[in-house]
Amino acid sequence: MSKKNFNKKNLYIKIVIIVGVVFLVLFILFVLLSPKLTINGDRELKLEYGNKYKEPGYEATFFGKDISNKVHVNGKVNNKKLGSYEIKYKVRKNMIVITKKRIVDVIDSKKPDIKLKGGENVDVCPDKEYSELGYDAIDNYDGNITKKVKIEKEENKVIYKVSDSSGNSCKVVRNYIKQDKTKPKITLKGSNKMTIIVNNSYKEPGYSAIDNCDKDITKNVKVYGKVNNNSVGTYKVTYEVSDKAGNKESVTREVKVEKSYPRVSGNMSCGSPGVIYLTFDDGPNPTTTPTILDTLKRHGVKATFFVVGRVASGNKNLLRREVNEGHAIGIHTWSHDYSIVYRSSDNFWNEINKTAKLIKDETGKDTKLIRFPGGASNTVSRHYNIGIMSRLSNEVISKGYNYYDWNISSGDASSNSLAVKTEINNVTKNLSKNRGNVVLMHDIKKSTMNAIDGIIQYGKDNGYSFDVLNHGISCKQGVAN
Ligand code: ZN
C-alpha cells in the first residue's frame, strides 16, 4: 500500500469519527433536552362494556420539573360500543415532541342470565309429562336472547344453555319431580259467614273444588254439618275433599240462625226509655184519620204517620194537616202491594222515591223514615224475591234512610171489628219503662180511632211521655221488657 493511499484511508476514518462524535453529541443533547413522558397503568387496558373509562393518569417532567399540564390527550372511549380505542398523549418542549399511546379495549365478558319461570325445582303431576313452563334469557350487551336458548332434556331435568355474541355462555338446570303436594282448592258460593232468620229455610248455596292435577273434583266434595233453621244458634258446615295424591282440603261455612229482628214485640228497644212512639200506618183515611188527629191534638201528643203514597195522593189535605200539627211523616211505599213492592229492589225504590216526592211537594218535608209493608222481617216478600228483605234493609241504611218496625202491636190489623177494650189492653199491657215503646197501629181502622184516647190516657196516668220517631232514633235488641 502507498503512503498516499494510507493517508487517504486515515482521512476517511477521521471523518467517520468526527461525524460519529457529532451525532453522539447531538443525541446526548436530544436526550438531555427532551421532556420525559410517563403514562400510568397498562399500555393496553380492558374496559367492561358499560363501565365508565377512568383515565389512569400520566406525568411529564423537564429537568425534574413537572410539566404534566402541558400534556395533550387525544382520543375517546365509547363504553357503549365494543371495540379498540386509542388514546394519544403528547408533550412538546424545545421543538421536541414526545408521544405515547394507550389502547383501551371495550369488551363484554359478562355472562347472559337465564331466568326460569316457575323456578328451578318444580313438581309435575304424577300422570302427566313435563311441559315447558317458560324462560327468559337476557344479556347485558345483546339484550333479550331468549330465542337463542337451546334446551336439552334428561331424566327429570331440563338444561337450558345460551351464549351471547361475545361468546359468554350460561347454563341453568331445572329439576322436576313427578309428585303432587298441592291441596285442591274449595270455593264456596255465597258467604262463608251467613245469617238466616229463624224458621226461614237454609238452602246450601253451593261450592266447587278444583285440583291442580285432577281439575274439577267438585263431585268428590263431602259436606258435613247440619243447620237447624228452627233453632237459634251458630252452625258449622264443613266441606272436605281429597285429590288422587291424597292431599286433603277442608273449609267451613258458619251459618248463624238469628231471632227475627226487629220483632213485633219482645226485648227490642227503640229510642228513649219510658217514651211511647205511637205509629199509624196505611193512611191517611178521610173517615178515621181526622178523628185521630183531633184526639192527638186534644192530648197534645205527637205521633208518626207512615203514609201509603197512593192513598195520600188522594188525601193531600190530611197529609198536610198531619205535618202542620207537628206529627212526623214516614214512607210506607206507594202501592203497599207486596207483589209489586217486593218484586225487585228497583220496584221498591221507585215506590219510595215517588212517595217521598209527594210528601216533599205537599208539605215541604224531606223524610228519611221508612216502614216496610209487613215489617222488615215479613215472610211474604220471599214469595216474590228470596232474600230481598235483607238486601232492602241494607240499602235503606246505606241510602241514608232508616226503617222502623215495632215492639208493641195494637193488633188492629187482625180484624175489622176488634173490641176497643182489647186494643187498649194489647198496647198497655206491653208498655215498659225500661225501653222506648214503638206501637204499631193503623189510622184506617175504626177500632184504633176509638182506642187511642184510652191508650194515651193510660200512658199519661202511668208516667209515660210521647214523642215522634226521627231518623236519629235507633233500635237494638237485648233490653228487658
Ligand atoms: Zn201497612
Side-chain angles (χ1 to χ4, degrees):
M1 182 198 310
S2 69
K3 199 178 173 192
K4 193 179 174 187
N5 275 349
F6 176 79
N7 282 342
K8 205 174 179 182
K9 197 178 179 187
N10 242 357
L11 184 66
Y12 283 142
I13 289 168
K14 275 178 188 166
I15 289 169
V16 167
I17 288 170
I18 288 165
V19 168
V21 168
V22 167
F23 271 99
L24 187 64
V25 169
L26 280 175
F27 178 74
I28 289 166
L29 274 175
F30 176 81
V31 170
L32 282 175
L33 293 174
S34 289
K36 303 255 175 307
L37 177 59
T38 322
I39 61 174
N40 301 337
D42 293 337
R43 302 291 292 271
E44 190 162 351
L45 278 179
K46 301 220 179 296
L47 179 69
E48 188 63 38
Y49 162 78
N51 287 359
K52 211 172 164 189
Y53 172 66
K54 228 181 116 192
E55 171 57 44
Y58 44 82
E59 269 166 27
T61 54
F62 185 67
F63 282 105
K65 193 183 160 218
D66 186 12
I67 53 162
S68 299
N69 57 350
K70 294 252 160 41
V71 177
H72 291 271
V73 183
N74 266 308
K76 265 198 163 173
V77 176
N78 183 355
N79 65 344
K80 292 276 193 268
K81 196 166 180 249
L82 302 187
S84 247
Y85 299 89
E86 193 178 80
I87 312 278
K88 278 190 181 145
Y89 305 81
K90 192 162 86 178
V91 68
R92 178 198 292 262
K93 194 78 187 173
N94 302 328
M95 306 295 285
I96 299 167
V97 176
I98 301 292
T99 63
K100 291 208 169 165
K101 67 179 181 179
R102 190 199 307 274
I103 302 295
V104 180
D105 290 318
V106 174
I107 56 161
D108 169 26
S109 67
K110 277 193 185 159
K111 289 179 184 174
D113 192 22
I114 300 178
K115 284 233 154 46
L116 299 182
K117 290 174 185 169
E120 292 184 1
N121 294 292
V122 297
D123 289 349
V124 173
C125 290
D127 53 356
K128 299 228 160 55
E129 290 308 311
Y130 170 79
S131 88
E132 182 49 47
L133 296 169
Y135 48 85
D136 284 310
I138 304 292
D139 182 59
N140 67 320
Y141 187 74
D142 299 342
N144 191 320
I145 51 169
T146 305
K147 279 185 182 157
K148 291 172 77 178
V149 174
K150 298 221 158 42
I151 295 181
E152 291 165 24
K153 284 183 181 162
E154 287 178 18
E155 176 145 15
N156 290 339
K157 76 171 59 159
V158 186
I159 299 159
Y160 306 79
K161 287 179 184 168
V162 74
S163 294
D164 68 11
S165 56
S166 304
N168 303 301
S169 62
C170 168
K171 169 182 154 181
V172 296
V173 177
R174 186 188 326 254
N175 297 294
Y176 62 86
I177 304 175
K178 288 207 170 185
Q179 64 178 10
D180 175 16
K181 286 191 158 181
T182 307
K183 287 179 180 180
K185 190 171 157 48
I186 299 176
T187 307
L188 297 184
K189 288 173 187 159
S191 173
N192 62 350
K193 277 195 172 165
M194 289 179 63
T195 302
I196 61 165
I197 302 299
V198 69
N199 296 327
N200 287 5
S201 63
Y202 170 72
K203 199 174 154 247
E204 169 56 47
Y207 47 84
S208 61
I210 304 293
D211 183 59
N212 62 320
C213 289
D214 307 346
K215 305 302 171 203
D216 191 335
I217 51 170
T218 303
K219 62 177 176 7
N220 298 342
V221 174
K222 291 193 172 71
V223 183
Y224 303 100
K226 205 177 169 313
V227 175
N228 183 351
N229 61 323
N230 296 318
S231 178
V232 169
T234 302
Y235 301 90
K236 285 199 166 130
V237 182
T238 303
Y239 305 80
E240 220 172 75
V241 74
S242 295
D243 63 13
K244 269 189 222 158
N247 300 300
K248 190 192 259 183
E249 175 67 322
S250 84
V251 299
T252 299
R253 191 197 307 269
E254 198 179 277
V255 182
K256 243 185 182 170
V257 177
E258 273 192 353
K259 286 181 198 171
S260 60
Y261 165 72
R263 296 190 298 150
V264 173
S265 62
N267 65 349
M268 188 186 77
S269 181
C270 292
S272 309
V275 175
I276 297 172
Y277 302 91
L278 297 175
T279 69
F280 299 97
D281 291 6
D282 296 1
N285 179 285
T287 311
T288 46
T289 305
T291 309
I292 290 172
L293 286 169
D294 291 344
T295 307
L296 292 170
K297 198 177 194 177
R298 197 169 68 250
H299 281 286
V301 164
K302 310 296 181 207
T304 305
F305 289 86
F306 286 101
V307 302
V308 171
R310 183 181 48 77
V311 175
S313 69
N315 296 284
K316 291 173 181 166
N317 56 327
L318 285 174
L319 183 63
R320 286 194 296 269
R321 187 181 160 191
E322 287 170 352
V323 171
N324 290 339
E325 295 184 0
H327 303 295
I329 304 291
I331 302 170
H332 198 40
T333 72
W334 181 267
S335 69
H336 203 286
D337 183 337
Y338 288 29
S339 68
I340 301 170
V341 173
Y342 295 135
R343 179 74 62 189
S344 69
S345 178
D346 282 351
N347 278 13
F348 176 81
W349 285 106
N350 284 341
E351 295 220 355
I352 295 297
N353 294 337
K354 197 172 169 188
T355 309
K357 186 177 184 303
L358 173 74
I359 295 167
K360 174 80 175 171
D361 289 348
E362 293 304 317
T363 71
K365 294 270 180 198
D366 283 308
T367 183
K368 294 294 175 193
L369 310 178
I370 286 176
R371 175 166 283 159
F372 291 110
S377 309
N378 77 78
T379 51
V380 184
S381 59
R382 76 166 102 105
H383 296 301
Y384 306 108
N385 190 331
I386 291 168
I388 192 162
M389 289 320 298
S390 53
R391 283 197 298 279
L392 291 180
S393 306
N394 289 334
E395 286 173 20
V396 162
I397 302 303
S398 67
K399 288 184 189 232
Y401 286 87
N402 210 345
Y403 65 91
Y404 292 91
D405 280 2
W406 51 88
N407 50 15
I408 297 177
S409 171
S410 72
D412 65 349
S414 59
S415 138
N416 275 328
S417 54
L418 182 69
V420 172
K421 226 175 117 184
T422 309
E423 183 166 346
I424 294 172
N425 192 43
N426 283 347
V427 175
T428 56
K429 74 173 184 212
N430 287 309
L431 289 172
S432 168
K433 286 276 174 62
N434 297 325
R435 64 173 191 194
N437 301 275
V438 182
V439 183
L440 170 68
M441 292 183 288
H442 297 81
D443 56 323
I444 58 171
K445 294 286 184 176
K446 283 220 171 83
S447 64
T448 295
M449 180 179 80
N450 295 319
I452 59 157
D453 185 58
I455 292 168
I456 294 170
Q457 197 57 55
Y458 176 93
K460 286 187 162 180
D461 293 346
N462 289 279
Y464 288 92
S465 59
F466 293 83
D467 206 348
V468 297
L469 290 176
N470 67 59
H471 183 251
I473 289 177
S474 61
C475 297
K476 58 177 186 293
Q477 278 181 303
V479 177
N481 238 349

